[in-house]
Amino acid sequence: MMHFSALVLFGSLCVGNVFAEQVLGSNIYVEEDCNRIRRPLHELDTKDLMLYVDGLQAIRANGKYQEMVETHHLHTMIHRGSSFFFYHTFFVWEVETQIRALGGKFKCFSLPYYDWTIEADREQDPWILNSVFGGDGTGSDHHHCVQGDLWNIERWPLTNLCSFDENPDVGCCLKRNLGQDIHLSTAEHMGDLIAENEDFRSFEQQIAYEHQMVHWLFAKEDCIACAMATGYSPDDPIFMVLHSGVAYLRALWATCHGYQTVAASELDEHPECYVAACQPGLEDDECDVIQLDEPYEFDNMKTCDWTIASRMDVTPRMLWDFKDWGVKYSPGDLMKRSGLEASGACSNEKMFQNNPWFIPPESDDDDKKPAPPGPPGKAAVQADAQSIVQVEETMTSHAASHSNILYIAVPLLGMMFVVGFAFVYKAYQSKKDEKGAYALIDTEQNDYGTVIVA
């Protein structure tokens, strides 16, 4: 079986599907057949979690994800300024878009979000490391490499942060090192943070800190090559679901205070919704893009025809309104666990009446909703994931067997069949290329990130 991570010479990193100009309903940038409804990771089953795993690995294999990782690494100063939220919101949307572009089972993919408050008081055995995201690293003697079949170098070959005895031409391992003294906030504390911070700047700074703790949970101690402690943090598959979660918190905060009704064009008149500023003590040129109408720099991504950033400027103002990008969030169980629902700080009227950023709960029967999860048993979840992988391998094997039968039969069917078969094969190859063929990943080794960033 050829894994998604196979490196095949098939054009440059920036050749893939051309992103079609489209418009659907409230989504002003792309036309799609289904909404993007982002749900909490811990409420998804293994099959849905594996959709993210397979999709992310597929866009790494076709070269697109590598371009995004490199771009993120070049702009670590963005984490020092107020547009931190919006910059990462774009990357989450772009990853979601490129996974959808794979078609088939990915056509209606929505990138789930990580509500890390479920890990409070269980930081040394977090739920997410007992799921399909791989476990902790193996210690300094083994370069902190994450073990297991789902994130090995065959399926997830990294070219950055390689140890001295790793070969980036083959692929380097994903590295993690669980922090020993990291304490994540409880749902109740997160609820207080949302309810009590009415102005954007105070809320943004506190969420930036909260999310930094999650980065450090997976990349602390002596692991300077662990992705989540560097500008190459998107190399860890936790990164995108984490930032989908950060975007969810911004949507929840804005809704609780009634700011979701503020139009992007009116943000200049609403400093409670956004203020362009760097972290205290820094000058404006030390935190990258902060002004509402200042375009983000996406470097080599702007030469890639598959990204919308190659055809238009993307600014913080444009990323204010989730509706413009076709994104909706499921509120999940944080509303209840945080106390926001009971306190009335985020009433149902605010949350679900004329609010295009959220969908109503699928059921009001709380007795049927699962309790916040404890570690679900790594063996059981990984067995489910492995069984899905085995099914895909079996299907691939069966397809290959049928191809062999056809290959034997072709000479017996005469020239007309040969011509017809050639025509179909050519069409198949063309369609495959349009969807983004496997591309050669740039194997130039990079230095470790020198700035510890988000």
Side-chain angles (χ1 to χ4, degrees):
M1 169 185 175
M2 178 176 288
H3 291 290
F4 277 131
S5 58
L7 304 180
V8 179
L9 287 167
F10 233 116
S12 72
L13 288 175
C14 288
V15 175
N17 312 359
V18 175
F19 199 104
E21 248 266 20
Q22 318 166 8
V23 181
L24 155 79
S26 60
N27 187 338
I28 67 174
Y29 297 114
V30 297
E31 179 181 340
E32 297 175 308
D33 295 332
C34 40
N35 287 318
R36 299 167 186 244
I37 300 176
R38 299 175 181 169
R39 304 181 189 278
L41 277 177
H42 65 270
E43 295 183 8
L44 302 181
D45 61 22
T46 303
K47 182 179 179 181
D48 287 335
L49 292 174
M50 283 299 296
L51 200 63
Y52 173 70
V53 173
D54 291 341
L56 197 67
Q57 291 177 352
I59 64 170
R60 160 143 260 145
N62 67 24
K64 295 177 180 179
Y65 195 69
Q66 185 69 24
E67 290 292 344
M68 289 186 255
V69 173
E70 297 293 342
T71 297
H72 181 272
H73 172 67
L74 292 173
H75 293 276
T76 56
M77 288 197 305
I78 205 81
H79 303 87
R80 303 173 180 177
S82 54
S83 80
F84 152 82
F85 273 133
F86 307 110
Y87 182 70
H88 292 88
T89 292
F90 177 77
F91 277 102
V92 171
W93 182 87
E94 188 66 88
V95 167
E96 192 173 56
T97 298
Q98 297 313 318
I99 291 178
R100 285 183 161 218
L102 297 168
K105 67 180 182 179
F106 301 106
K107 182 180 180 181
C108 293
F109 171 78
S110 297
L111 209 153
Y113 66 89
Y114 183 25
D115 171 10
W116 62 85
T117 65
I118 66 169
E119 313 291 18
D121 299 325
R122 57 172 75 113
E123 290 88 349
Q124 294 310 299
D125 190 18
W127 174 88
I128 199 167
L129 294 192
N130 288 278
S131 64
V132 300
F133 286 80
D136 192 14
T138 53
S140 58
D141 291 344
H142 300 282
H143 309 309
H144 302 287
C145 290
V146 171
Q147 299 297 298
D149 294 335
L150 288 181
W151 299 100
N152 59 28
I153 62 173
E154 292 182 344
R155 294 176 66 92
W156 194 244
L158 305 184
T159 60
N160 308 306
L161 305 174
C162 299
S163 300
F164 68 91
D165 59 351
E166 291 185 296
N167 182 357
D169 292 333
V170 176
C172 304
C173 72
L174 170 64
K175 301 173 179 67
R176 291 191 187 125
N177 190 27
L178 206 60
Q180 299 301 305
D181 298 312
I182 302 298
H183 301 284
L184 302 183
S185 289
T186 63
E188 291 83 358
H189 177 75
M190 191 65 72
D192 291 342
L193 190 157
I194 290 169
E196 295 171 5
N197 288 278
E198 296 184 2
D199 67 285
F200 170 84
R201 198 67 185 121
S202 62
F203 174 73
E204 184 269 339
Q205 288 179 322
Q206 292 188 62
I207 291 299
Y209 174 80
E210 295 284 338
H211 114 283
Q212 184 68 64
M213 292 299 100
V214 182
H215 275 267
W216 284 344
L217 178 63
F218 303 113
K220 205 72 168 91
E221 312 307 328
D222 60 345
C223 187
I224 62 172
C226 287
M228 288 287 271
T230 76
Y232 294 114
S233 47
D235 272 337
D236 194 312
I238 293 175
F239 177 89
M240 286 297 165
V241 293
L242 166 62
H243 280 280
S244 182
V246 171
Y248 159 76
L249 292 174
R250 177 175 74 85
L252 186 57
W253 164 81
T255 294
C256 290
H257 296 286
Y259 302 153
Q260 85 282 1
T261 61
V262 176
S265 60
E266 300 173 356
L267 284 173
D268 307 82
E269 303 168 13
H270 292 273
E272 70 276 15
C273 296
Y274 184 77
V275 174
C278 294
Q279 296 291 351
L282 297 177
E283 300 296 329
D284 285 357
D285 60 353
E286 295 181 287
C287 53
D288 215 313
V289 172
I290 56 173
Q291 299 301 326
L292 278 169
D293 297 314
E294 185 179 1
Y296 288 114
E297 297 179 16
F298 291 109
D299 300 284
N300 196 50
M301 273 180 66
K302 291 185 73 68
T303 69
C304 301
D305 59 8
W306 46 262
T307 173
I308 201 171
S310 69
R311 296 184 292 104
M312 69 180 196
D313 288 334
V314 178
T315 67
R317 185 191 302 276
M318 294 167 63
L319 292 159
W320 162 259
D321 193 340
F322 290 98
K323 170 175 59 64
D324 290 347
W325 300 85
V327 172
K328 297 175 182 286
Y329 275 95
S330 167
D333 59 12
L334 179 63
M335 287 283 295
K336 184 176 181 63
R337 292 187 294 109
S338 65
L340 286 171
E341 184 178 279
S343 70
C346 292
S347 65
N348 283 342
E349 182 178 0
K350 285 183 178 179
M351 287 295 296
F352 307 121
Q353 291 186 17
N354 300 317
N355 183 4
W357 292 5
F358 282 93
I359 63 168
E362 294 180 4
S363 171
D364 292 327
D365 187 351
D366 291 328
D367 292 335
K368 294 181 180 179
K369 292 182 180 180
K378 184 179 299 184
V381 173
Q382 292 184 346
D384 284 347
Q386 187 60 36
S387 68
I388 292 173
V389 172
Q390 289 172 349
V391 167
E392 291 177 348
E393 289 177 343
T394 300
M395 291 174 67
T396 302
S397 175
H398 287 171
S401 298
H402 289 306
S403 296
N404 289 337
I405 293 171
L406 286 175
Y407 179 77
I408 294 171
V410 163
L412 303 178
L413 296 178
M415 185 58 68
M416 290 183 63
F417 184 86
V418 172
V419 172
F421 180 81
F423 176 80
V424 171
Y425 181 75
K426 182 177 180 180
Y428 165 78
Q429 286 296 99
S430 176
K431 187 173 184 180
K432 177 182 175 183
D433 291 345
E434 289 172 3
K435 290 187 175 180
Y438 295 120
L440 176 65
I441 293 178
D442 185 1
T443 57
E444 179 181 357
Q445 183 158 8
N446 295 278
D447 294 331
Y448 293 161
T450 56
V451 179
I452 303 301
V453 298

